[in-house]
Amino acid sequence: VPLNLVNLPGIRLEKMDLDYKLSKFDLVLHATESNGGLDMTFEYSSELFKQDSIVRMAEHLEMLLSAIVDFPEFRLSELPLLTESEACELNEWNMTSEVISSNQCLHELFEVQVEKQPESTAVVCGNIKLSYAELNQSAICLAKELKKRGINPEIRVALCVERSVDSLIGILAILKAGGVYVPLDPSHPTKRISELFVACKASLLLTQEQLLVRFTKHISEILCIEHSELEDIEAMDDELPVVVHPSNAAYIIFTSGSTGKPKGVVITHNNAVTSTLSRFSYYPESPEGFLLLSPFAFDSSVAGIFWTLCGGGKLCIPSDGDHQDPERLVELVGHESLSHLLCSPSFYNLLLDHTKQDQLTSLQTVIVAGEICLPTLAEKHFSHLSAVRLYNEYGPTEATVWSSVYEIHFVNVSLQLSIPIGRPIDNIQLYILDDYLNQTPIGVSGEVYIGGAG
């Protein structure tokens, strides 16, 4: 409309030149020759790209063009994109603080709590409840029998027991004897258990009487864990003449075998102690009561067991049958006043579906791990338990249970497309590398490489 045809009271119209145009495509790079070089201009849809992203893209292009000149014999895929400022930023992310370790072994962290609070409840499973002193004494009795059978540092002991207090006694006894515990899932076929027993070169199978009939034809060296078999063992003093070094193996966990044959991952005491101490360093509260949902053959069980018992808390082991019953588990949390739980996102989603408004009020911290955590789960969590902290952990078995963690906040969770796996924990470094082991720039995909004490 011509300006002279517009007449509005109190308003003067003037012509203004605007340097504004619509992008024809989502992303375009214009390149023109200029003074013996190239002038380049990005044109982009502001609905799809932020200015910072385009600036970063331009810097990566500049790095690539410079590298082409410096290394003409390289393939494009081999050339680095990372700028110096990005490299500094990524290095800062990996500057994790150190956990101070006193060269203790895993079971020795537990023994510190036995001295501090011998009468406090250590473990509950069904109607069975043991104090720290009782659990420690039972483990010592069994450890002495294991020593008689030749269990020493680096000697593997397969542990195949149902979910029970016995499983915990077995783990601690093997460690106290200096051995390496190898948890095997009793729900697996006998043939698979026998194969894993041979694969880990175990010298002994520690099991329960009700499972004994399954193994007598396949395994020669077997010891039942029941207290009735151990009553005649003298335990007048609590000293075990065992010297275990932090570099000795503590346990072996077999991978699922989903990508081929199951592989046994050897974890040292130093690995496991560092991982455990990192939990005390990162999380604001130690577990007063922990709901152990993970099978003992999964490495996530290590997190629950030793984070709890090395901090003086109560470990609650749901009995077989109850451990997959959401309604029973929700009741158990309230009955035992449990403060922490760790499980897969899918199972936690199921728990929330069976939770009423006045339940799970004792919880302080929920941790999900092992699968991708979706924003919809975080929304459901905060709608049910707005005051309970929610964390997403990541880490493969080969890196000792966990390598990174992310606290999920209620603010803007509905706007997130995905939940991150967070920053590296103490003494761990995470790198995203391309096929040629170059660090990828921020926002560029690659593979996760994990380094550090784990």
Side-chain angles (χ1 to χ4, degrees), residues 8 72 85 97 127 179 202 210 217 229 233 245 248 289 311 343 371 382 384-385 426 441 448:
L8 296 173
S85 61
S97 59
N127 296 323
Q210 65 264 32
K217 294 181 180 179
E229 292 195 9
I233 298 174
H245 192 271
N248 289 135
C343 64
E371 301 169 354
F382 288 114
H384 284 72
L385 305 167
D426 284 335
V448 178

Side-chain angles (χ1 to χ4, degrees), residues 68-87:
I68 288 173
V69 175
D70 294 337
F71 308 102
E73 72 278 11
F74 281 27
R75 294 175 178 269
L76 280 177
S77 55
E78 297 176 88
L79 298 176
L81 297 179
L82 202 66
T83 65
E84 186 175 343
S85 61
E86 281 183 316

